[in-house]
Amino acid sequence: MSTHDAGPAAGTHAARSPEYRVAHLQDRLASGELGELGVRTEVRGSTVLVHGTVPSARCREDVLSTVREELAGLEVHCDIVVSEPSSPDHAEELS
């Protein structure tokens, strides 16, 4: 066996890399039942940053659940904002 032969373990290591796992998470968020395109993920050293905007608190919880499942064991920072529109609590004054 040569020293350049990575063997079957090479694919296993790549499959566990943070970059691979983040790419898989992005695919799930974009194409799954969540269909969430407003969330971005970035690998920054040994940490993964998940950020963006979602339409509701329920959607945020679904995204966070998926993130926990896909990125278990990694250090993850989440900054997901809910853009749920609400009614104004007072009348707007026009000049």
Side-chain angles (χ1 to χ4, degrees), residues 10-86:
T12 304
H13 176 69
R16 292 187 199 152
S17 75
E19 291 81 5
Y20 176 89
R21 293 173 66 188
V22 164
H24 190 259
L25 170 64
Q26 289 172 325
D27 287 346
R28 278 189 66 188
L29 292 176
S31 63
E33 69 181 53
L34 293 174
E36 189 49 57
L37 299 175
V39 175
R40 303 285 180 253
T41 53
E42 302 173 36
V43 177
R44 295 188 177 175
S46 62
T47 303
V48 178
L49 173 63
V50 181
H51 60 97
T53 305
V54 294
S56 68
R58 175 66 187 158
C59 185
R60 182 179 187 279
E61 289 305 314
D62 290 346
V63 167
L64 292 176
S65 175
T66 303
V67 167
R68 282 190 292 270
E69 182 180 317
E70 286 294 329
L71 303 181
L74 294 176
E75 183 177 345
V76 178
H77 294 281
C78 291
D79 184 17
I80 300 175
V81 179
V82 176
S83 69
E84 194 166 49
S86 59

